[in-house]
Amino acid sequence: MGGGFENLCNKYIKFGRSLIEFGRSFIEFGRSFIEFGRSFVEFGRSFIEFGRSFVEFGRSLIEFGRSFVEFGRSLIEFGRSFVEFGRSLIEFNQWLGWGKTQIIEQLQTCVYTVGGGEEWKWGF
C-alpha cells in the first residue's frame, strides 16, 4: 500500500508542478499584455503630442493668414489715402484755376473800364 500512496502523491506533485508551470505561463502572458498596454499608451501619448503639434502648426497658419489680412487692409487704407490725396490735388488745382480765372476776369474788367474801351494785352 505504501507504493500506491506514494505513487498517488507523486502524481499530485507532478500535477501541482504542471499547474505552477501553467500559472507561470499565464503570468508571462499577462506581463506581455501589460507591456503591450504600456506601448499602446506610449503610442497614444506620442499621437497626442503629434496632434498638439499639428494643432499648433494650424494655429500658426491661422495667425500667418491673419497677418496677411491685416497687411492687405493696411494696403487698402494706404491706397485710399492716395486716392483722397489725388482728389485733394485735383480740387486744389481746380480752385487755383477758378481763382486765376476770377482774378483775370476782374483785372480785364478793370482794365477795360479804366482804359476806356481800348484793349490792353496782359500776360497771364
Side-chain angles (χ1 to χ4, degrees), residues 102-117:
Q102 294 299 316
I103 292 170
I104 289 173
E105 286 177 3
Q106 294 298 324
L107 283 174
Q108 285 176 345
T109 304
C110 182
V111 168
Y112 286 133
T113 304
V114 173

Side-chain angles (χ1 to χ4, degrees), residues 18-88:
S18 296
L19 284 177
I20 290 170
E21 199 55 44
F22 189 64
R24 286 181 180 157
S25 297
F26 257 89
I27 289 171
E28 196 58 38
F29 186 68
R31 287 180 180 157
S32 297
F33 257 94
I34 290 170
E35 196 56 39
F36 178 72
R38 287 180 179 153
S39 298
F40 204 76
V41 167
E42 195 57 38
F43 174 74
R45 287 181 180 151
S46 299
F47 202 75
I48 288 170
E49 195 57 39
F50 175 73
R52 287 180 180 151
S53 299
F54 208 70
V55 167
E56 274 307 307
F57 180 69
R59 287 179 179 156
S60 298
L61 286 178
I62 289 169
E63 283 304 310
F64 190 64
R66 286 181 179 156
S67 299
F68 265 93
V69 168
E70 283 303 310
F71 183 69
R73 287 179 179 157
S74 298
L75 285 178
I76 289 170
E77 284 303 312
F78 191 61
R80 286 181 180 157
S81 299
F82 263 90
V83 168
E84 285 302 313
F85 181 69
R87 286 180 181 161
S88 298

Side-chain angles (χ1 to χ4, degrees), residues 89-103:
L89 283 178
I90 290 169
E91 289 176 7
F92 183 69
N93 191 24
Q94 289 172 346
W95 179 80
L96 281 179
W98 176 82
K100 186 176 176 182
T101 303
Q102 294 299 316
I103 292 170

